[in-house]
């Protein structure tokens, strides 16, 4: 009986937090670029029609912001925001929702990101 009560209390505490986490807008870092990503193998991908390596610690977040395994996404062409590590390998990937993809402009190259202004609170880029 006590177990049921504890489980019910835990559910009531966790459920609102989970619902809130799903409804919050994701915050992308200022160095996140936008591109079309296709995972070819667990270590290689095509990013904007160019081959790129995947970092050993690659993190892919789905549209629900949950981590996804790269093997489940092989061959799928995805619109993503991503970051690169110091060697130029893809390090972090966020698969975009339709609402996130509609936020334009978003830089696709490091040169654009350096030239444009970023508001991290509103998650908006402004061209000069």
């Amino acid at each position: 009986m006590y177990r049921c009560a504890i489980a019910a209390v835990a559910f009531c505490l966790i459920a609102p937090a989970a619902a809130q986490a799903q409804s919050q807008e994701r915050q992308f870092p200022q160095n996140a670029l936008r591109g079309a990503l296709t995972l070819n193998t667990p270590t290689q991908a095509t990013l904007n029609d160019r081959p790129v390596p995947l970092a050993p610690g690659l993190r892919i977040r789905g549209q629900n912001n949950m981590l996804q395994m790269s093997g489940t996404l092989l061959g799928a062409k995805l619109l993503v925001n991503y970051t690169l590590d110091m060697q130029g390998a893809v390090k972090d990937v966020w698969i975009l929702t339709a609402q996130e993809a509609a936020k334009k402009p978003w830089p696709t190259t490091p040169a654009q990101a350096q030239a444009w202004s970023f508001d991290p609170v509103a998650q908006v880029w402004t061209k000069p």
Side-chain angles (χ1 to χ4, degrees), residues 52-67:
V52 293
L54 299 175
L58 172 70
R59 290 178 294 208
I60 302 172
R61 296 197 176 270
Q63 292 179 335
N64 59 0
N65 212 33
M66 300 293 288
L67 289 176

Side-chain angles (χ1 to χ4, degrees), residues 26 61-66 68 79 94-98 100:
R26 294 191 283 187
R61 296 197 176 270
Q63 292 179 335
N64 59 0
N65 212 33
M66 300 293 288
Q68 297 205 331
L79 180 61
W94 294 268
I95 301 171
L96 299 179
T97 64
E100 292 166 342

Side-chain angles (χ1 to χ4, degrees), residues 69-84:
M69 303 303 291
S70 61
T72 63
L73 301 169
L74 292 178
K77 189 163 186 163
L78 307 165
L79 180 61
V80 300
N81 281 354
Y82 65 93
T83 62
L84 302 174

